[in-house]
Amino acid sequence: ALGLPDDLPGRSLTLPPGEPPPRVAVLTPYFREPLAVLERCHRSVRAQTVPCDHILVCDGEPRPEIDGWQARHLRAPVPGRNFGDTPRRIAGEAAIESRYDAVVYLDADNWFRPRHVESLAACHRANRTAICHSARTLHRIDGSVMPLLQRSDNTEHVDTNCLFVGAE
């Protein structure tokens, strides 16, 4: 349900043992997604091997069910009609005010595999870069991986869901 297996493809780094993980906010804009899709997205954040705080921002049509989740739920009063850019900005400002070490982005209709944030945080620490990114995989409805390779993927194009932005 969350895009298994977890060992696909490429290299996945781990944080050094004993080092405290960074404080990470996952920013998710949403607009009219079914509740089941939002729940899958949120479950993948809760399942991360590095604890993350989930900040969801509705784009004009809030889902009151989210208020009961272990997440921060913000509301834009009207739809921005700009593909989630305004809610991402609102979530980003909330993360800056809360002084997170880093943010990662997760579209509402996507999910992370369990070690996604940990691997990006380890890449950030190992390379001392402000921004890190991962490759992406595309999945069928049943969660199985689609054997798709797009030449520009991860070189000319990095999907928003694959970005890690450090505060330093």
Side-chain angles (χ1 to χ4, degrees):
L2 295 177
L4 299 174
D6 188 38
D7 58 356
L8 292 172
R11 190 172 74 159
S12 183
L13 302 174
T14 58
L15 287 169
E19 263 191 49
R23 195 165 158 254
V24 177
V26 176
L27 313 182
T28 300
Y30 74 90
F31 177 73
R32 295 184 180 166
E33 280 82 9
L35 188 59
V37 169
L38 294 169
E39 287 172 336
R40 179 185 63 193
C41 171
H42 182 62
R43 268 195 327 272
S44 79
V45 174
R46 303 296 311 144
Q48 290 302 295
T49 56
V50 168
C52 299
D53 293 331
H54 201 181
I55 301 174
L56 293 106
V57 182
C58 78
D59 199 7
E61 297 186 26
R63 298 296 305 242
E65 301 91 342
I66 294 174
D67 292 335
W69 295 0
Q70 190 174 350
R72 186 167 177 193
H73 187 203
L74 305 174
R75 295 161 173 80
V78 294
R81 297 185 178 156
N82 57 7
F83 307 101
D85 292 347
T86 297
R88 276 188 199 90
R89 181 189 54 77
I90 292 168
E93 288 175 4
I96 289 167
E97 289 171 1
S98 296
R99 304 173 96 38
Y100 283 93
D101 298 322
V103 298
V104 294
Y105 301 93
L106 179 58
D107 291 339
D109 60 344
N110 288 269
W111 64 87
F112 290 150
R113 291 201 294 277
R115 294 195 57 257
H116 179 79
V117 174
E118 178 186 2
S119 181
L120 284 169
C123 178
H124 170 72
R125 285 193 179 164
N127 295 298
R128 300 182 190 272
T129 56
I131 299 174
C132 296
H133 64 89
S134 68
R136 68 176 174 168
T137 53
L138 301 175
H139 298 256
R140 295 180 187 90
I141 296 294
D142 68 2
S144 63
V145 176
M146 294 173 62
L148 245 120
L149 180 61
Q150 297 174 330
R151 291 183 191 267
S152 66
D153 219 20
N154 208 30
T155 56
E156 296 171 26
H157 169 78
V158 176
D159 191 79
T160 306
N161 298 290
C162 300
L163 290 173
F164 177 100
V165 181
E168 20 186 273

